[in-house]
DNA sequence: TGTGTATGATTAATCCGTTAATCGCACTTC
DNA sequence: GAAGTGCGATTAACGGATTAATCATACACA
């Protein structure tokens, strides 16, 4: 059907080796004179020759394709924008380097497993955050180079590379910001979830550390709110007149939902309650008030992941087995000085 | 390096044909007894044999991979969620049918062109809306089956299939809704853009038709607002006391931005101005007020596109060369009765 | 006995580029 | 004149699976 390299060779009166060399310039033991090269190019053009990449991939044992796997493909559009940024960031680097990106949807776990070893992918970027044993096993025994985003740090020696942000440091920025505004009683909020994720865990730990460090007082159990998202827990909590003047949410969406609940419960934001989110995307601009949030350098992280992966594919051993990026902090409109600042605790 | 089918065959004392038949069950002129089949499976398992998909793809001339191309990959996260839904919808069907999805980023136009003919993709879903000549040419002369979403209808015979929503009908729903609320002077808003897109064009036409049909009066030039998005055109327009009580925006984001501008200009929404968007996604829930919008059945459209594409790949001629899906209408909080209803024009 | 049919299994060509190995030849150098 | 060097070009094996064609054997039936 399609024109093959053999037909081009025949039409040009040369060997397939010559055509291959001229058109793709790889073999270094093949030499072609300039005159012939030009002729070959001409013939190929006139025959409208399109090289078959599959055959080439088979021979050179490389496809220039990288897989990317998410735990939540299928609910991307309704989920946090974080994933989309990650997706774009990784894609950008890959495309610039003439790699393609293939989505690995985890319809079945076995599908993923066999995808990784079937020769169609040169490497994988792993964007699943859950720490289920199967995923971990897969990461640690992946037959091709793999970089894991925000995944749990390795406990056993592995060839995988891990990229994440400094979750603890990010939460510390949030606490610092609130303390500077005059807040002292600060809560940390997350939704009840089936599977724990390492980033949520890290942020919770960061909260405890930061509270101790910045206020001098240990956070207590009542400072950690674990809510089932569908229930109107907010109203009950608020009605009980909690001592908190600010809430740090473990994620952007959590913060957004909190804003909605607080607003519909009649609170005036940020006066009645300061709210901080984690992950600073376009979404933070669309809430009312606009959401103050910790910002992961997602594009840098994605670029580091992709760049490292490509280096690994090229056979270079990774410089580091894990990369951790510092967070920044984006102040918007959802935080302000507490209604009754230091007075409550320290009347002047 | 990796275990090949030949090694399995040797270890099991059978031919490669037998192994191929047992493990992948394709050849129908090859027969293997149950006993041997079991034995082969056992050996393959013990050797941890992983079939090389690239070799298979070369032989069967099929990769079970479908490409998807967007005009705006790289600004997905900040763009309309419409694209994400499309992406997910197409992906869902593909994955269920054991196809993979590869992103085609249009770094260079030539890259795309050669990607389509290099044997690595069985088909393409085209999600670019721009109608530049090169894209059109590509769609019409694509070497593999192609389905184009919301692309301009073909003017010449082509094997491509086109899927879109009934843009005109969607706008008509918006106009009907507003008219039923009592609005008579309704404007249509879109941003000034470099490249025209057929869907925007269709919605504008739909606006004219619907206004004529639903109010009995032709829309005039001043009813069509083409704003350069970065300029504060809204304030000027509003200050000039326009006769309009409602604005239909050509897209979701346009509507969202309009809300922001109107709110910051001091208007009370929806009382002072009713606003309707096009595309009803999660985004419409996050605006204040929540955005009333025309809703494309994106998942159905995506599913139709993917399903049709797979059928084409399997050699079946498409049932139709184009599919048009009706829109629905999601009433939220950004529309209400006009401040001075019919009174202005028709004092009782 | 001879013919026909079904089952079980193998051989070898094929898909299409890539590339190590080889060859011829012209030219240089000692 | 023998040996060495470089360029230009080809041959043929190779990557790993699929499958049409072929073969062998067993059994049924007239």
């Amino acid at each position: 059907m399609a024109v093959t390299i053999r037909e081009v060779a025949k039409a040009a009166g040369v060997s397939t080796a010559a055509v291959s060399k001229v058109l793709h310039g790889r073999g270094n033991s093949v030499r072609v004179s300039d005159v012939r090269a030009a002729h070959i190019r001409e013939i190929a053009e006139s025959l409208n020759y399109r090289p078959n990449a599959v055959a080439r991939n088979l021979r050179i044992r490389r496809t220039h394709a990288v897989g990317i796997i998410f735990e939540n493909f299928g609910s991307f559009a309704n989920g946090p924008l974080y994933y989309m940024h990650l997706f774009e960031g990784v894609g950008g680097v890959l495309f610039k380097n003439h790699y393609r990106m293939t989505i690995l949807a985890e319809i079945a776990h076995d599908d993923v497993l066999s995808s990784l070893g079937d020769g169609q992918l040169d490497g994988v970027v792993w964007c699943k955050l859950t720490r289920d044993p199967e995923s971990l096993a897969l990461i640690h025994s992946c037959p091709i180079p793999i970089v894991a985003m925000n995944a749990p740090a390795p406990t056993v020696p592995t060839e995988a590379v891990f990229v994440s942000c400094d979750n603890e440091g990010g939460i510390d920025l949030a606490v610092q910001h609130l303390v500077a505004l005059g807040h002292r009683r600060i809560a940390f909020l997350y939704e009840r979830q089936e599977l724990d994720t390492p980033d949520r865990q890290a942020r919770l730990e960061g909260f405890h550390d930061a509270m101790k460090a910045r206020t001098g007082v240990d956070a207590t159990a009542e400072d950690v709110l674990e809510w089932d998202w569908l229930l109107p827990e907010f109203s009950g909590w608020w009605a009980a007149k909690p001592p908190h003047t600010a809430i740090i949410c473990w994620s952007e969406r959590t913060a957004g939902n909190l804003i909605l609940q607080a607003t519909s419960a009649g609170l005036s934001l940020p006066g009645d309650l300061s709210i901080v989110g984690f992950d600073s995307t376009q979404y933070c601009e669309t809430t009312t008030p606009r959401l103050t949030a910790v910002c992961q350098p997602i594009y840098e992280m994605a670029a580091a992941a992709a760049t490292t992966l490509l280096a690994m594919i090229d056979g270079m051993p990774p410089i580091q087995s894990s990369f951790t990026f510092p967070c920044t902090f984006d102040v918007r409109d959802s935080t302000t000085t507490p209604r009754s600042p230091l007075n409550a605790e320290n009347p002047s």
Side-chain angles (χ1 to χ4, degrees), chain A:
Chain A
M1 213 60 158
V3 181
T4 71
I5 201 171
R6 257 169 264 265
E7 300 176 56
V8 174
K10 201 162 142 197
V14 300
S15 68
T16 60
V19 178
S20 178
K21 172 67 182 177
V22 171
L23 264 37
H24 312 303
R26 279 190 44 115
N28 35 14
S29 65
V30 175
R31 255 169 264 273
V32 185
S33 64
D34 292 349
V35 201
R36 292 201 117 185
H39 181 229
I40 290 170
R41 261 186 272 267
E42 207 172 286
I43 296 288
E45 172 78 18
S46 75
L47 290 180
N48 196 29
Y49 169 64
R50 301 273 166 229
N52 182 311
V54 178
R56 151 180 259 248
N57 292 346
L58 173 61
R59 187 62 233 254
I60 69 176
R61 301 161 145 286
R62 181 145 305 175
T63 60
H64 294 274
V66 164
I68 188 164
I69 181 169
F70 292 93
E71 71 203 83
N72 57 340
F73 185 88
S75 61
F76 242 42
N78 292 326
L81 292 176
Y82 165 82
Y83 290 101
M84 285 164 63
H85 280 115
L86 198 52
F87 188 52
E88 288 179 8
V90 170
V93 174
L94 293 179
F95 299 150
K96 222 163 275 162
N97 287 277
H98 298 280
Y99 272 73
R100 18 178 91 187
M101 182 164 61
T102 295
I103 313 292
L104 296 180
E106 198 176 12
I107 297 295
H109 203 79
D110 286 348
D111 283 356
V112 173
L113 184 58
S114 57
S115 286
L116 297 180
D118 72 0
Q120 291 191 95
L121 298 174
D122 291 343
V124 195
V125 179
W126 188 269
C127 301
K128 287 182 64 184
L129 300 187
T130 53
R131 49 170 27 146
D132 57 294
E134 282 138 338
S135 295
L136 287 179
L138 212 53
I139 291 177
H140 290 296
S141 67
C142 185
I144 51 177
I146 184 169
V147 172
M149 301 292 305
N150 269 344
T155 53
V156 293
T158 170
E159 290 181 7
V161 167
F162 297 80
V163 174
S164 61
C165 74
D166 177 9
N167 286 295
E168 290 86 349
I171 293 293
D172 188 48
L173 292 176
V175 172
Q176 277 186 59
H177 168 75
L178 291 171
V179 168
L181 284 173
H183 295 271
R184 287 299 175 274
R185 291 305 300 266
I186 302 169
F188 183 82
L189 168 64
Y190 60 91
E191 304 98 320
R192 204 162 278 142
Q193 277 182 346
E194 292 162 56
L195 288 169
D196 194 22
T197 68
D199 56 345
R200 197 181 66 176
Q201 193 65 31
R203 289 168 202 177
L204 177 56
E205 284 168 19
F207 172 70
H208 280 108
D209 294 349
M211 287 299 283
K212 175 73 178 173
R214 304 297 169 187
T215 71
V217 180
D218 277 317
T220 66
E222 75 168 357
D223 296 334
V224 176
L225 312 175
E226 183 183 6
W227 287 348
D228 187 336
W229 206 243
L230 299 174
L231 297 175
E233 306 207 39
F234 176 80
S235 306
W237 175 78
W238 183 250
K241 301 214 182 302
H244 307 98
T245 55
I247 296 183
I248 297 173
C249 301
W250 92 280
S251 83
E252 172 191 271
R253 290 283 160 170
T254 305
N257 287 332
L258 177 60
I259 286 178
L260 292 179
Q261 296 205 15
T263 303
S264 67
L267 274 71
S268 157
L269 300 181
D272 290 339
L273 187 68
S274 285
I275 296 174
V276 176
F278 205 111
D279 285 344
S280 184
T281 69
Q282 179 72 25
Y283 177 73
C284 299
E285 300 288 342
T286 63
T287 57
T288 308
R290 292 160 59 247
L291 187 63
T292 294
V294 177
C295 179
Q296 291 190 51
I298 305 187
Y299 283 101
E300 286 174 51
M301 291 164 65
T307 306
T308 303
L309 183 64
L310 294 185
M312 290 162 78
I313 290 172
D314 282 342
M316 298 175 228
I319 313 159
Q320 302 166 238
S321 72
S322 73
F323 296 81
T324 305
F325 286 80
C327 294
T328 56
F329 197 75
D330 290 337
V331 179
R332 295 197 182 81
D333 310 328
S334 67
T335 49
T336 188
T337 51
R339 188 74 84 194
S340 46
L342 302 176
N343 316 6
E345 294 168 53
N346 182 15
S348 58

